[in-house]
Amino acid sequence: MRTKDILSEKGSRVATAQETLLLVDVVSIFLSKHIGSMVVMNNHDEIIGIVAPNDVLKAIDNHPQHITTITVSEIMTRDIIVVTPEDDIDQLMTIMTKNRIRHLPVVDKGELIGLVSIGDVVKAKSTVQDVEIRYLTD
């Protein structure tokens, strides 16, 4: 199973944020949309980072007096890893485990086309294993 198969199952909608978005607004979006990360884009719709709740918590812990003025660009992870629609789920699991990350943006021809989470990958892996078990049992 490949990244594109996960996206066809879950959809390709991705929550994005501009780098000027305030930390307090990020928290509201995480809670209202029930999401665990947002891809950060610049004014040219290029990926420049990713922000997750852990980034928010670190910012609050490090600068509690400035939580109403901190922007996404100050807390986001800049060196992000992206994957392609053709990467297989074993590659995704390896990347996520090795780098201790939970979300991977999916990019095709320079364009953001989706986001996969560790939960998406585990679900896909479980589905593949269920199919293999049924096949071997039959």
Side-chain angles (χ1 to χ4, degrees):
M1 185 175 277
R2 302 199 176 280
T3 308
K4 64 183 175 185
D5 302 318
I6 294 172
L7 292 180
S8 69
E9 179 77 24
K10 76 171 269 188
S12 59
R13 195 169 55 156
V14 180
T16 62
Q18 291 294 313
E19 59 189 317
T20 56
L21 190 66
L22 293 174
L23 175 125
V24 292
D25 296 324
V26 169
V27 171
S28 295
I29 294 169
F30 284 153
L31 294 172
S32 67
K33 294 189 176 195
H34 307 286
I35 57 175
S37 72
M38 291 193 328
V39 177
V40 182
M41 311 290 278
N42 65 14
N43 291 334
H44 305 289
D45 285 334
E46 299 167 324
I47 300 172
I48 59 170
I50 193 165
V51 63
N54 267 353
D55 300 318
V56 173
L57 292 173
K58 287 176 192 172
I60 292 170
D61 185 51
N62 292 332
H63 307 287
Q65 67 279 15
H66 299 293
I67 61 172
T68 58
T69 60
I70 296 172
T71 63
V72 168
S73 66
E74 297 173 69
I75 65 169
M76 70 183 181
T77 300
R78 292 181 184 274
D79 298 325
I80 62 169
I81 300 168
V82 299
V83 295
T84 70
E86 296 303 319
D87 290 328
D88 70 40
I89 58 174
D90 290 329
Q91 289 171 302
L92 300 180
M93 288 183 101
T94 300
I95 291 168
M96 289 175 158
T97 303
K98 180 181 174 187
N99 295 285
R100 301 181 50 88
I101 54 178
R102 297 179 184 172
H103 297 90
L104 290 169
V106 183
V107 174
D108 189 24
K109 298 174 187 147
E111 183 180 332
L112 177 65
I113 63 164
L115 183 75
V116 292
S117 71
I118 189 68
D120 300 328
V121 175
V122 169
K123 181 180 175 186
K125 184 73 171 177
S126 176
T127 300
V128 168
Q129 289 176 339
D130 287 347
V131 169
E132 289 174 352
I133 289 169
R134 272 188 262 134
Y135 176 76
L136 291 172
T137 302
D138 288 347

